[in-house]
Amino acid sequence: MQISSLKGISASLAVISATVLLLSGCASPVASADPTTLQTAQHSGPTASQTAQHSGQTAKPTSTVPVADAIIVDASSLRVHATDGSSLGDYAYSGSPKDAINELTTLLGDPVVASDAPEKCGGGWTTYQWPALELTEYTDKTMWPNGGYSVFSRVSSAPIALTTPNGARIGSDWASYFAGVSGHPHDSGDYEGHWDRVLDTAQTADPSLGVIVRATNGAIDSIVAPSSLNADC
């Protein structure tokens, strides 16, 4: 009787063991994952995140440096404006021309420098000449106790626009320009062709001084400041 019971128990254990093994074998393929699938999933996560972060950084606005657009010959100073309308420099004629010379050199290239000894109608100065513009620094304090400088624009092309507050430009049509400043002091005459002059913009302290625009035979050919229509030299 005992032997029969033991045999029955053994048989039962054998069935249970077989069942466990069978269940374990069926469950293994389901529980295990393909290593390639795991690696791909793990790799794709950070890449998407990094792409999103990179896109966010790329979308940030970048600052731009203003670009010079025009040199304006005004009554009391030489000014440089940027394409966005902002001022890049304002150099008073009554002060040292050092900064103005540096700015013009940046915009127009290296100038030709020359000096003149004092004489009746000037001298005692140093000139800085570019193809389209000449700056005269008054260096002789006996002749020019207040120092300062003046500018003179002549017929020539330039890499940047040279203009006055009222829009005079070298080579432009005199009649079109003069229509806007005909109420300003002006004169005209005939010498080596017909010439016209006008006080484009006057200084506040001395209204007789300012920007003088001249045309010969109907085309603007010079802009000088500060100057006067009454100058005899």
Side-chain angles (χ1 to χ4, degrees), residues 2-28:
Q2 293 177 351
I3 294 174
S4 298
S5 298
L6 290 172
K7 287 182 178 180
I9 294 170
S10 298
S12 298
L13 290 172
V15 171
I16 293 170
S17 298
T19 302
V20 171
L21 289 173
L22 180 61
L23 291 173
S24 300
C26 291
S28 294

Side-chain angles (χ1 to χ4, degrees), residues 96-97 101 124-128 135-140 148-150:
S96 168
I101 293 168
W125 54 47
T126 299
T127 57
Y128 299 81
L135 183 151
T136 300
E137 177 184 8
Y138 301 113
T139 54
D140 190 300
Y149 71 99
S150 63

Side-chain angles (χ1 to χ4, degrees), residues 15-67:
V15 171
I16 293 170
S17 298
T19 302
V20 171
L21 289 173
L22 180 61
L23 291 173
S24 300
C26 291
S28 294
V30 175
S32 65
D34 183 1
T36 303
T37 303
L38 282 174
Q39 291 173 3
T40 303
Q42 292 170 357
H43 179 69
S44 62
T47 300
S49 175
Q50 291 170 1
T51 301
Q53 291 175 359
H54 180 67
S55 299
Q57 292 173 358
T58 303
K60 292 180 180 179
T62 56
S63 60
T64 57
V65 178
V67 178

